[in-house]
Amino acid sequence: MARAVRGLSRVGRRGPAAGGGRGAGVVALAALPIAFLGVLFAWPVVAIVRLGVTDGGVAAALAQAQTWDLAAFTLGQAAASTAVAVFAGMPVAFLLARARLHGFGWVRTFLLVPFVLPTVVVGLAFKALWPGGGVATIVLANAFFNVAVVARTVGGLWAHLDRRAEDAARSLGASPWQAFRTVTLPALAPALASSAAVVFLFCSTSFGVVLMLGGGRYRTLETEIYLRTVELLDLSGAAALSLVQLAAVIVALVIGGVARRRRERAAPLRAPVVTARRPAGREWWVVGAALTVVAGLLVPILALVVRSLSTRDGWGFDGYRALAGSGDGALSVTGWEAALNSLRTAFDATVLAMIVGVLAAVALVAAGRARGRVARLAGETLDAALMLPLGVSAVTVGFGYLVTLDALPGDLRTSPMLVPLAQALVVVPLVIRMVLPVLRSVDVRLRQAAATLGAPPARVWWTVDLPLAARSLAAAAAFGYVVALGEFGATSFLARPEAPTLPVAINELISRPGEENTQLAYAACTLLMLVTAGVAAVIDRLRAPHVGEF
């Protein structure tokens, strides 16, 4: 990374050639992220879609009513989940931004726990509450994941808004609701639109939750792509569904990107205005609603813990003791070995994602500061392209790996690095979204002062940017680690039977009949939940306040 940054030092510091040299430095920084995206995302996706198109079945699949029924259900449940997440997240955002209550700092930390929980954990938690599953359960489970996105994104902007404008509206006779609707809500609109677009993206590509709770009755584009690719080998049908899904993802990314830029312009980084105060009057109703939402988020977590301790003969630790075994013939390894596999692959994926993500963030910042519309347009294009892996089917990418990666030296299809590479592809966009706003917030005058004293660009980045962004870099690494730890979509397709990760092992256990398998699955889920909750607490301690996303 330092070598790439050093490329900027060869371009001079000022003068007519500075613009061209800075452009060369941006290209050097962006080379690795572009190569990573091209080889591990664009190539496999294009290959699998090309296979489907070659078979000539894409047009036929697009003409089938079933395809559009799947698309309608996918978008409908995503829209419903987004609406529930926004409705539940708004009072929590008020609690975080405007209410000063002693001892409630834990709410911000707790909100991150549902978001970083693996999908199989949430699926089993809601299955313990509603064994029958169904559409309502899927919607609630997806909303459970994403309340934190709305609350923390909107709350971050809300904390920057000067309360005096709202108080002025009240003094002119406006009711609390009128003041909120006419003054505060329009100011929060960019954050609301940005968070809603992100939540919609996550819900429309939900895999583990729908697989666990939908059963054979309810399928989304994501689960249907998995079914057609893995079980039916219907590549043309899978390719058609991937194209429909990709179109929806691009629309959501464009809306989210526009809203994100509006939010950044509306609230440039500065010390938050002190607007938090003890609630008064009807504000206590909002606080009560927020605490009700928090209590609701606790219910599935507690249900999972209770279910893991519930045995046929009463309460006990049979499931946890079963971690030393492989269940009732469901696994080829023990539960602890699957856990170690998860820890190793998540570590490798995090290292890869941090290298690529930080280089991409530095390149995007440099492109934003460069002179000329071409450089800025290139930066915005790269930013949007790096977000695409969040929305394209992990199954499509995984199958594309098996089709394409044999052409590379060493045949990565049989390499133990295949799963970390797939997980890193998912983590990189999240790392960028956490690190990029922090690097953009660094005061340019500090960098100019260091350059004036003779520091080359690489030294400026090392001595100015890195210390200011260190906490957010550590938080991004921890965040990426727990996301990789619980990644299920691509891993379920690529993990070898002799080396499953814990989420894959849980899915195998829950799909096999037997009391021992069920108890082991719930115990493993609880263990995974405790690890992610602990790391979430660390993330919130490290994260720079009111900066970054998620």
Side-chain angles (χ1 to χ4, degrees):
M1 188 186 303
R3 186 180 301 169
V5 178
R6 259 186 230 111
L8 295 174
S9 64
R10 303 190 187 104
V11 302
R13 296 173 179 72
R14 276 174 274 195
R22 183 174 296 168
V26 172
V27 172
L29 287 168
L32 179 60
I34 292 174
F36 180 85
L37 188 70
V39 173
L40 294 175
F41 176 70
W43 183 25
V45 170
V46 170
I48 197 67
V49 172
R50 181 182 174 186
L51 276 177
V53 172
T54 303
D55 290 340
V58 170
L62 290 175
Q64 292 176 357
Q66 182 189 11
T67 299
W68 300 107
D69 289 342
L70 284 168
F73 179 74
T74 300
L75 299 179
Q77 64 85 26
S81 301
T82 303
V84 173
V86 170
F87 182 77
M90 284 299 290
V92 182
F94 174 86
L95 179 65
L96 297 179
R98 290 295 179 91
R100 182 182 296 173
L101 294 170
H102 181 69
F104 277 78
W106 59 271
V107 173
R108 178 180 296 276
T109 301
F110 169 74
L111 281 176
L112 196 58
V113 175
F115 183 69
V116 299
L117 283 179
T119 56
V120 291
V121 172
V122 175
L124 275 187
F126 276 83
K127 200 165 188 176
L129 287 171
W130 293 285
V135 178
T137 313
I138 293 172
V139 169
L140 289 175
N142 280 329
F144 170 85
F145 270 118
N146 293 294
V147 168
V149 177
V150 177
R152 291 169 71 100
T153 303
V154 176
L157 178 58
W158 209 337
H160 287 79
L161 299 182
D162 194 335
R163 199 163 192 162
R164 289 174 296 182
E166 191 175 335
D167 291 339
R170 292 291 310 280
S171 67
L172 293 174
S175 67
W177 167 246
Q178 288 174 325
F180 172 78
R181 182 173 55 85
T182 59
V183 177
T184 306
L185 189 58
L188 294 177
L192 267 174
S194 176
S195 60
V198 171
V199 171
F200 183 85
L201 177 65
F202 287 155
C203 294
S204 62
T205 56
S206 176
F207 178 64
V209 166
V210 179
L211 193 66
M212 286 275 183
L213 300 175
R217 294 179 297 163
Y218 305 104
R219 299 196 301 272
T220 60
L221 288 170
E222 186 83 355
T223 57
E224 186 69 12
I225 291 169
Y226 177 84
L227 173 67
R228 296 195 184 194
T229 303
V230 177
E231 298 185 15
L232 303 179
L233 295 179
D234 179 13
L235 297 185
S236 60
L241 297 179
S242 297
L243 291 174
V244 174
Q245 185 185 52
L246 183 60
V249 165
I250 290 174
V251 171
L253 286 173
V254 170
I255 294 173
V258 171
R260 184 170 57 248
R261 285 192 293 273
R262 287 181 60 196
R263 187 177 78 247
E264 289 173 353
R265 289 195 297 267
L269 183 68
R270 60 184 183 272
V273 180
V274 180
T275 61
R277 65 190 183 196
R278 186 171 178 81
R282 294 182 182 179
E283 290 179 342
W284 281 108
W285 288 99
V286 183
V287 172
L291 295 179
T292 301
V293 171
V294 173
L297 296 177
L298 271 171
V299 171
I301 295 174
L302 294 177
L304 181 63
V305 175
V306 169
R307 182 64 180 82
S308 72
L309 296 172
S310 177
T311 68
R312 186 179 302 171
D313 301 322
W315 303 104
F317 293 92
D318 295 355
Y320 296 92
R321 285 192 288 267
L323 287 168
S326 57
D328 191 10
L331 303 176
S332 58
V333 298
T334 67
W336 291 118
E337 288 173 333
L340 289 175
N341 288 335
S342 290
L343 295 175
R344 284 193 295 263
T345 56
F347 177 81
D348 294 339
T350 304
V351 172
L352 289 169
M354 287 299 295
I355 294 172
V356 175
V358 173
L359 276 177
V362 174
L364 291 172
V365 171
R369 291 171 178 165
R371 296 177 181 176
R373 295 182 59 184
V374 175
R376 286 195 294 270
L377 180 61
E380 292 176 1
T381 303
L382 178 61
D383 190 8
L386 287 166
M387 295 300 107
L388 282 176
L390 283 179
V392 175
S393 168
V395 176
T396 300
V397 176
F399 196 81
Y401 282 3
L402 301 184
V403 172
T404 58
L405 295 188
D406 62 320
L408 296 177
D411 191 358
L412 282 176
R413 296 180 303 175
T414 59
S415 170
M417 283 301 296
L418 187 59
V419 172
L421 285 170
Q423 292 178 350
L425 187 67
V426 176
V427 173
V428 164
L430 303 177
V431 170
I432 293 172
R433 291 271 68 85
M434 289 189 72
V435 174
L436 182 59
V438 179
L439 294 180
R440 280 177 173 164
S441 72
V442 175
D443 195 333
V444 178
R445 292 172 297 182
L446 294 176
R447 308 183 85 257
Q448 292 172 342
T452 301
L453 294 173
R459 183 70 179 273
V460 171
W461 190 88
W462 188 262
T463 58
V464 177
D465 296 62
L466 184 60
L468 293 174
R471 286 169 59 90
S472 291
L473 288 171
F479 187 74
Y481 186 80
V482 293
V483 170
L485 195 64
E487 203 283 325
F488 178 63
T491 308
S492 65
F493 190 74
L494 298 173
R496 294 173 295 178
E498 68 275 12
T501 61
L502 200 54
V504 173
I506 291 168
N507 184 56
E508 286 294 323
L509 290 165
I510 207 67
S511 62
R512 303 286 185 91
E515 179 68 17
E516 183 179 352
N517 290 338
T518 302
Q519 287 299 123
L520 178 54
Y522 276 101
C525 273
T526 304
L527 179 66
L528 203 52
M529 181 191 68
L530 292 175
V531 172
T532 53
V535 178
V538 173
I539 294 170
D540 207 58
R541 291 288 182 182
L542 292 173
R543 181 179 175 272
H546 308 293
V547 185
E549 299 182 41
F550 309 128

